[in-house]
Amino acid sequence: MATTPRYLGTTTSAAKQYLEDSLESEVYLAVFDADRDGTVGSGSTDETELARAVARAETKVDEILGASHGAPWSADAFAALAEGVRDSIKECALEMALWERVKFRPLMSDEKKAPYRQLWKDAHARLKDIAADRQRRLGGSAVPEPTLTAGGVVEPDEDLSGDWTNAVAGNSTVGF
């Protein structure tokens, strides 16, 4: 598992800022401010756990999109993806990071964890749809577009001309 965020930001502080900007402050603090001091301070245990949760979520993204789209992406390869695709991946990683952070908290009741678990499941399903391709390709991914050969005809490696027996019809030979 990576230890530095890659998709929500290339540094822990950038990923933290992305999460803070994307979530309502009550949700952000409820999930990432474990010591309840009202902040996720730089260099704090809260920030370390935020980075771990993001890394776990991004690793899940890589696991799902690895075979179909060449994840994990380097910073340059991720930047080369179409903006909409990058946004989709970032949204999924963000939704998964919430669950990845709270799933180890023994004091959270199942009722409180349920919304984050459902977000994780929704993001997971969305990534599976992307992986299944749903009739589209991720722009800039390393996986080539499928192509047809000339007319879709497969040429045999050896000469198959001559007489053949049609066993189904019971005739002796048919010449080609």
Side-chain angles (χ1 to χ4, degrees), residues 155-166:
E155 295 295 329
D157 292 335
E158 56 188 80
D159 182 15
L160 300 175
S161 62
D163 291 334
W164 290 76
T165 302
N166 186 341

Side-chain angles (χ1 to χ4, degrees), residues 81-100:
L81 295 173
E83 184 178 0
V85 174
R86 283 193 318 269
D87 289 346
S88 292
I89 292 168
K90 287 171 78 170
E91 287 172 14
C92 290
L94 176 143
E95 291 171 3
M96 294 174 96
L98 297 169
W99 172 250
E100 293 297 334

Side-chain angles (χ1 to χ4, degrees), residues 9-42:
T10 55
T11 64
T12 297
S13 61
K16 184 172 87 171
Q17 190 63 54
Y18 179 81
L19 288 163
E20 197 170 0
D21 292 345
S22 300
L23 299 169
E24 293 180 13
S25 61
E26 297 82 25
V27 172
Y28 174 77
L29 291 173
V31 173
F32 297 108
D33 180 20
D35 62 11
R36 301 292 176 242
D37 66 355
T39 184
V40 178
S42 180

